[in-house]
Amino acid sequence: MTRRGEASDVALADAVEAVNEVRLVGRVSAAPEERTLPSGDSLWTFRVVVQRPAERRRPRASVDALECAVWSGRPRRSVATLRAGDEVEVRGALRRRFFRGGVGSVASRVEVEVSGLKVIRRQSG
C-alpha cells in the first residue's frame, strides 16, 4: 500500500530530472569560521545575505540570510580569505544536516553545501 501522494511523486520523478542547485549572489555577513566536528571532520561556515527583489518584500523582511558550509575542494581555500561585506557568488546544493544538540537531543539545519565560490567585489578597508 502506498502513502497518499507517493505514487504521484514517483511519476513526477520519472517525468523530470531531479535537480538540487543553488546560486546565491549577496554579501558575506561576518568572517567565515572554521569548525571541527566531534567526528574530527572540519568545515568552514559563513552566512550570505541576499537582498529580496522589491516586489517580493514582505513588511520587515527585505533580505534573506542563508547559512553556507564548505567541506572540501577549491572553495575551502577561497573561503578563508573572505571578510564581512565581501560580495560573492555561491553555487551549491541545499542539504539538511542532522547533529546532536544539548542533552542528547537531535537537531537539524538546512544549509547550502558550497561547491563553487567566486568573489565579485571585496569590501574596501
Side-chain angles (χ1 to χ4, degrees):
M1 180 172 203
T2 62
R3 293 182 303 197
R4 184 176 160 185
E6 188 174 309
S8 63
D9 291 345
V10 171
L12 179 62
D14 289 340
V16 297
E17 179 183 353
V19 176
N20 182 354
E21 295 177 342
V22 174
R23 176 180 173 256
L24 305 173
V25 177
R27 64 178 172 77
V28 177
S29 66
E33 296 179 7
E34 186 175 25
R35 295 191 353 230
T36 302
L37 303 177
S39 65
D41 293 332
S42 65
L43 77 150
W44 284 89
T45 60
F46 63 100
R47 183 175 294 134
V48 174
V49 177
V50 179
Q51 188 78 34
R52 288 186 182 176
E55 67 273 4
R56 292 189 183 164
R57 291 183 192 165
R58 295 182 191 155
R60 300 181 308 189
S62 61
V63 299
D64 292 303
L66 302 148
E67 301 293 327
C68 298
V70 181
W71 292 88
S72 62
R74 176 177 275 165
R76 189 174 172 82
R77 292 186 294 277
S78 300
V79 73
T81 68
L82 294 178
R83 298 182 308 209
D86 286 351
E87 189 175 336
V88 295
E89 177 180 350
V90 172
R91 292 186 182 269
L94 285 179
R95 301 281 187 241
R96 180 177 296 270
R97 187 166 54 90
F98 294 89
F99 55 95
R100 295 253 177 237
V103 193
S105 65
V106 176
S108 71
R109 167 185 305 218
V110 174
E111 58 195 9
V112 176
E113 185 177 305
V114 178
S115 60
L117 174 67
K118 177 178 158 184
V119 177
I120 297 171
R121 186 174 330 157
R122 293 273 181 198
Q123 174 66 27
S124 61

